[in-house]
Amino acid sequence: MLQQFFGNPLKISPLLFAFALPAVLTGCGGGDTKIVERDPIPIEDDHDHDDEPTNQGRLLVAIKDQPKVGIWDITEATLLEEFTLTEPASALYASPSYRYGFVIQRLANRVNVIDSGLSQEDHGDHKHDLVEAPRWLAFGTDKARPTHFTLTETQSVIFFDGNGDTTTPAQVGVYTEENIKNNTAGNVLEYTTHMHGAAQARGDYLLSTIRDPLITTSTLPDKVGLYKASNGIYTEQQVFSENCPGFHGSAQNKTQIAFGCTDGVLVITQTGDSFNAKKIANPANFTGTMRIGTVFGDKHRAEFVGIAAGQFFAINTSTGSITPINWLDANSTTTPTALAYGFADHGELFVILDSVGVIHLLNTNNWSISTRIQAITSNLAALPTGSRFELALTPGHKIYVSDPIANQIKQIDLAEAKVSSSLQLTGSPAKIAWVGIAEPAGDHHH
């Protein structure tokens, strides 16, 4: 079940990063850690405020090619803590509340969690934002090959691929914020074979992939099963008859779950405790090995976004259509590739970060380009080998882009469609994630 990692963190020095702020920001396994203990500090609210929250949150930044993750205060532009991992982080994710940051170390078979130190106290008629030191939590897992990470509004879902070389079967772990905070076991689905799969949680239910262990030519599954949790264990309820060969990619919105297959998209609709599946076939212009291999969804949007051969498509489950999304700039002298993407601004925008450092903002009501922002102005020829631009989305109007050429993090204001500031580092950023308070108290008074 849940593997716990205890022990007193050790201070480490010197710190890898130092900060300067050219523009004022408005608006492991076992871990060695530099810890500064502080008492909680409430952010006082005199009810005289604008739309900008008092605290803009914090950034988790993994260091390129090093087993290091730092956490920074955005408002003060200060490095708060630096954590040493077992290996360089393969991915960073925020939890549903954004309070916690998941640190994935896939090849080390480890998942750990950092508490951002930003939280809220509910006082009934109002809430108080609290600021504390970030800390390394006891919560963690050592299951084999943590790979795909998905979210609901209350659950963090990790698909552990398992390991064919060691005959270690795949597993799925589903954790609530309380599991993370109190270091308690979540719900687990245990397989009998390894697979490169994914899962989507729906309350007590789990939609997760199934691979025939007798097929040795691929680790990709070809079926989806419905499971329900009882006493911490998921048990199979049904296996959908529709095949999903070469499964890869999944997402959900308010009522549906979509899975990418080599021959189309499998869509499962939930109505209460009933789940029904149907298949949307690939369009005729999908030739050769072209297929939807990545899927994005948002609870505010009925349509999904799929990626096939580097191209974006709107997946309309009502009409059963898969339609191209034209995001490239016809006036560009180069044809960039998309590096990072996702829904933002409560589903009103879809954000694409490309290989020449441009942010493309698309209106999700008609998939037209809202605007383009040149986030990176560094000399692209100087991009270090093995580096790429990374994107961190937030629940608000700010997004963040890493620039490993200039060793900076760019803050982009979606409302104003511009780079609002840059955070200067002395090390090279790799993966990044925003953590903090999703709805600061200043934004929702009673």
Side-chain angles (χ1 to χ4, degrees):
M1 295 291 291
L2 192 69
Q3 176 69 32
Q4 301 177 356
F5 298 118
F6 297 97
N8 294 322
L10 302 176
K11 291 186 178 181
I12 58 176
S13 63
L15 292 175
L16 180 66
F17 287 99
F19 288 84
L21 197 60
V24 176
L25 288 173
T26 58
C28 160
D32 293 341
T33 314
K34 174 185 173 293
I35 295 290
V36 179
E37 294 295 341
R38 305 181 199 150
D39 292 329
I41 303 172
I43 299 176
E44 295 300 331
D45 187 1
D46 58 5
H47 297 249
D48 181 15
H49 57 83
D50 54 23
D51 291 335
E52 192 69 32
T54 307
N55 188 288
Q56 295 187 63
R58 293 171 175 176
L59 282 172
L60 281 178
V61 181
I63 297 91
K64 183 179 182 295
D65 297 331
Q66 294 192 42
K68 305 277 187 182
V69 171
I71 183 167
W72 293 270
D73 182 278
I74 296 171
T75 307
E76 300 297 329
T78 54
L79 175 62
L80 299 175
E81 316 289 357
E82 185 185 65
F83 303 93
T84 297
L85 314 174
T86 301
E87 66 169 14
S90 56
L92 299 175
Y93 299 101
S95 71
S97 72
Y98 290 91
R99 173 174 177 173
Y100 304 107
F102 281 82
V103 181
I104 311 295
Q105 300 160 80
R106 185 178 187 274
L107 295 182
N109 301 324
R110 294 191 186 277
V111 176
N112 293 101
V113 177
I114 295 170
D115 185 343
S116 71
L118 300 180
S119 61
Q120 286 184 327
E121 282 185 348
D122 193 339
H123 291 246
D125 63 335
H126 67 283
K127 294 181 180 180
H128 272 180
D129 299 341
L130 300 178
V131 178
E132 301 175 274
R135 60 193 178 99
W136 183 269
L137 295 183
F139 178 92
T141 78
D142 62 355
K143 299 173 183 177
R145 299 295 191 263
T147 305
H148 284 300
F149 183 94
T150 58
L151 292 173
T152 72
E153 290 184 330
T154 59
Q155 298 162 301
S156 300
V157 184
I158 304 173
F159 197 102
F160 302 87
D161 284 357
N163 190 331
D165 294 336
T166 59
T167 65
T168 305
Q171 296 186 55
V172 181
V174 180
Y175 312 105
T176 65
E177 304 287 284
E178 288 300 310
N179 292 145
I180 298 168
K181 179 180 179 180
N182 300 321
N183 191 27
T184 55
N187 295 325
V188 64
L189 171 61
E190 298 180 342
Y191 288 99
T192 58
T193 188
H194 65 284
M195 76 182 82
H196 184 59
Q200 294 285 335
R202 305 280 297 185
D204 290 336
Y205 291 103
L206 184 73
L207 284 300
S208 194
T209 54
I210 299 172
R211 183 178 80 85
D212 184 347
L214 298 180
I215 298 176
T216 59
T217 56
S218 174
T219 60
L220 296 179
D222 62 0
K223 290 280 191 181
V224 175
L226 174 67
Y227 303 84
K228 190 173 184 180
S230 178
N231 297 320
I233 301 294
Y234 285 103
T235 56
E236 183 182 295
Q237 305 294 298
Q238 73 178 94
V239 176
F240 297 96
S241 59
E242 290 78 4
N243 284 331
C244 185
F247 164 90
H248 198 273
S250 69
Q252 63 174 294
N253 57 26
K254 188 174 182 179
T255 60
Q256 294 182 313
I257 309 95
F259 296 91
C261 319
T262 57
D263 59 355
V265 177
L266 178 63
V267 179
I268 298 174
T269 302
Q270 179 180 4
T271 306
D273 293 325
S274 176
F275 294 79
N276 296 290
K278 70 175 183 178
K279 195 74 164 288
I280 300 176
N282 285 338
N285 59 356
F286 275 29
T287 59
T289 59
M290 191 171 180
R291 50 79 54 88
I292 298 290
T294 303
V295 187
F296 284 88
D298 186 271
K299 68 178 182 179
H300 300 97
R301 293 296 163 191
E303 286 187 307
F304 292 93
V305 172
I307 303 176
Q311 302 176 49
F312 291 80
F313 296 85
I315 303 169
N316 188 311
T317 61
S318 296
T319 61
S321 61
I322 299 176
T323 308
I325 295 174
N326 183 18
W327 66 278
L328 291 170
D329 186 353
N331 297 318
S332 177
T333 57
T334 62
T335 302
T337 57
L339 297 179
Y341 17 76
F343 284 94
D345 209 6
H346 303 287
E348 294 182 10
L349 296 173
F350 191 80
V351 179
I352 301 175
L353 168 64
D354 73 19
S355 55
V356 295
V358 174
I359 291 284
H360 306 256
L361 301 181
L362 290 90
N363 294 312
T364 55
N365 60 339
N366 59 9
W367 304 110
S368 64
I369 290 290
S370 170
T371 190
R372 293 185 174 94
I373 306 163
Q374 184 69 55
I376 305 296
T377 56
S378 302
N379 177 12
L380 298 180
L383 184 68
T385 301
S387 290
R388 54 180 276 169
F389 309 129
E390 297 283 350
L391 175 67
L393 300 174
T394 79
H397 295 295
K398 302 289 195 300
I399 63 174
Y400 296 87
V401 174
S402 67
D403 180 358
I405 304 169
N407 292 340
Q408 293 179 342
I409 304 292
K410 302 286 190 179
Q411 183 189 74
I412 291 108
D413 189 312
L414 296 180
E416 298 183 9
K418 69 177 185 179
V419 176
S420 51
S421 56
S422 298
L423 187 66
Q424 185 67 49
L425 319 175
T426 60
S428 183
K431 303 296 183 180
I432 61 176
W434 185 90
V435 288
I437 300 170
E439 296 184 47
D443 289 353
H444 50 83
H445 286 293
H446 294 279

